[in-house]
Amino acid sequence: MEVTIALAQYPITARQSLEDWKNHTEKWISEAVTQGAQILTFPEYGSMELTSLFSQEVRDDLKLQIDHLQDLLPFFIETFQGFAQKYNSVIVAPSFPVALTDKTVNRCFVFTQNDYSYQDKHFMTRFEDESWGISPSDGTLRLFETPFGRFGVQICFDIEFPMGGHLLAEAGAQFILVPSCTETLKGATRVHIGARARAMEQQIYTGVSQTVGNALWSPAVDINFGYTAIYSSPDGDFQDEGILALTEAQNPGWLIHTLDLSKNEEIRENGQVLNFKHSQRQEIRDGKSSVEVVWMKEELIEQAVKNVTEFRS
């Protein structure tokens, strides 16, 4: 089975009205679908461009803007649900700060032609936690079964930890999509390293979508640096580096690529290494592995250093 995915390298831009935002969004979606995309992914916090419609007072207040965004959430959901139906596609919408009864979460809605669900972010960055008041999810991971394949969503920082990728792959995910918003090359690099690690560990595809450019009118997402990429395990007839596709940083647009979902099944059975199989080992899963602390005597350390010095000379 093959699936064509589109990953947005997306600039957060100021809009003039809700209708302007809707038309802008449809233009992006139409462009990807015209090129054959079946699953479209927008980046983390791309929804923050809606705050450009608020007064300066609201825009400048990190918490007040979240309160006002809640009034636009029904329109946001209705818009993406309508586009998923119109374009017969699956859309991973830009994540949205959703205010619940007891906390605010970073929620990524996933829309199919007839329904929608969501994935909340698990691990908060310091900015989200200390300055913005965004809270972790309840711990639930969701596997999205669609006509175009089974996938999970790991939002930005989440992909830098192995547990989610492991659980999703074990549950049957064929690829993991990573909506992300980072300010610097260092931040973007951490996300991409995480995505490459998950692809290798679980012998699975991962795809990163990131925000780009500056939105200086927004105190939440004012500076953005990013690029999109699709990774695989570096095995079988995949690329030696495990990089299937990569864009130039900071250039707005779509990265569109067709994935052969059968290839990961093949390398899990016949690859040079069997990472996915070994990650299922029962003694590791049950926490029965242990760490033994070994104290080396000082004279042994000195002898080891002396041996290395003699060898080099």
Side-chain angles (χ1 to χ4, degrees):
M1 177 181 175
E2 293 186 343
V3 59
T4 300
I5 66 172
L7 302 166
Q9 195 157 300
Y10 191 75
I12 297 175
T13 55
R15 311 318 308 172
Q16 300 303 310
S17 65
L18 282 176
E19 193 63 25
D20 176 42
W21 170 79
K22 184 175 180 179
N23 291 338
H24 169 76
T25 302
E26 182 168 18
K27 181 179 178 181
W28 272 78
I29 292 171
S30 175
E31 179 183 337
V33 172
T34 299
Q35 297 179 64
Q38 297 165 301
I39 299 179
L40 290 64
T41 302
F42 287 90
E44 178 186 35
Y45 290 129
S47 63
M48 294 307 294
E49 60 190 0
L50 286 169
T51 63
S52 65
L53 304 178
F54 300 152
S55 68
Q56 191 68 46
E57 178 186 5
V58 173
R59 277 190 287 177
D60 289 345
D61 190 313
L62 287 170
K63 293 182 172 58
L64 192 59
Q65 62 182 228
I66 289 179
D67 293 340
H68 281 68
L69 273 173
Q70 305 316 301
D71 296 333
L72 301 183
L73 182 55
F75 182 79
F76 178 88
I77 292 173
E78 178 185 341
T79 295
F80 278 101
Q81 184 69 79
F83 288 150
Q85 292 172 346
K86 179 176 180 178
Y87 291 97
N88 192 33
S89 59
V90 174
I91 302 175
V92 180
S95 75
F96 196 107
V98 175
L100 305 179
T101 303
D102 57 341
K103 62 182 179 180
T104 299
V105 296
N106 181 4
R107 178 163 293 179
C108 190
F109 290 95
V110 178
F111 297 88
T112 64
Q113 296 90 328
N114 302 309
D115 202 0
Y116 73 89
S117 186
Y118 62 86
Q119 177 63 61
D120 292 342
K121 187 176 182 179
H122 302 297
F123 296 102
M124 297 297 101
T125 62
R126 292 191 64 183
F127 173 75
E128 288 173 306
D129 180 38
E130 298 172 11
S131 301
W132 208 5
I134 309 293
S135 299
S137 76
D138 63 4
T140 302
L141 274 171
R142 290 178 169 84
L143 178 69
F144 302 100
E145 295 209 31
T146 77
F148 308 122
R150 301 184 303 276
F151 66 91
V153 173
Q154 292 277 270
I155 303 173
C156 201
F157 197 25
D158 288 352
I159 198 66
E160 298 178 32
F161 302 89
M163 304 83 77
H166 173 81
L167 291 170
L168 287 168
E170 185 180 48
Q174 295 165 304
F175 50 98
I176 296 173
L177 300 174
V178 187
S180 172
C181 176
T182 54
E183 292 181 300
T184 64
L185 175 57
K186 290 177 181 177
T189 299
R190 289 192 293 267
V191 172
H192 283 270
I193 288 175
R196 294 184 73 176
R198 306 296 81 80
M200 180 186 69
E201 290 165 355
Q202 304 304 326
Q203 296 179 303
I204 197 172
Y205 297 113
T206 57
V208 179
S209 164
Q210 292 190 311
T211 51
V212 299
N214 294 339
L216 299 180
W217 46 266
S218 170
V221 289
D222 50 348
I223 307 295
N224 299 274
F225 184 94
Y227 58 97
T228 55
I230 301 172
Y231 301 111
S232 71
S233 175
D235 204 341
D237 62 354
F238 288 130
Q239 297 294 325
D240 291 345
E241 303 90 346
I243 303 173
L244 299 187
L246 183 70
T247 60
E248 184 177 347
Q250 296 295 82
N251 285 344
W254 287 105
L255 173 59
I256 298 176
H257 193 82
T258 299
L259 306 177
D260 183 345
L261 301 181
S262 67
K263 283 190 174 183
N264 284 324
E265 298 174 11
E266 170 63 23
I267 63 169
R268 283 178 175 181
E269 290 293 328
N270 302 306
Q272 289 184 316
V273 290
L274 302 176
N275 301 57
F276 177 72
K277 177 181 178 180
H278 290 307
S279 72
Q280 311 302 306
R281 286 172 53 185
Q282 198 66 34
E283 67 270 25
I284 295 176
R285 287 160 47 86
D286 292 346
K288 294 180 180 178
S289 297
S290 61
V291 176
E292 180 181 354
V293 179
V294 178
W295 294 98
M296 294 183 66
K297 294 182 180 179
E298 187 173 347
E299 57 266 28
L300 293 180
I301 297 175
E302 292 175 352
Q303 183 61 48
V305 172
K306 180 180 178 181
N307 291 342
V308 170
T309 303
E310 291 177 351
F311 175 79
R312 287 178 175 174
S313 61

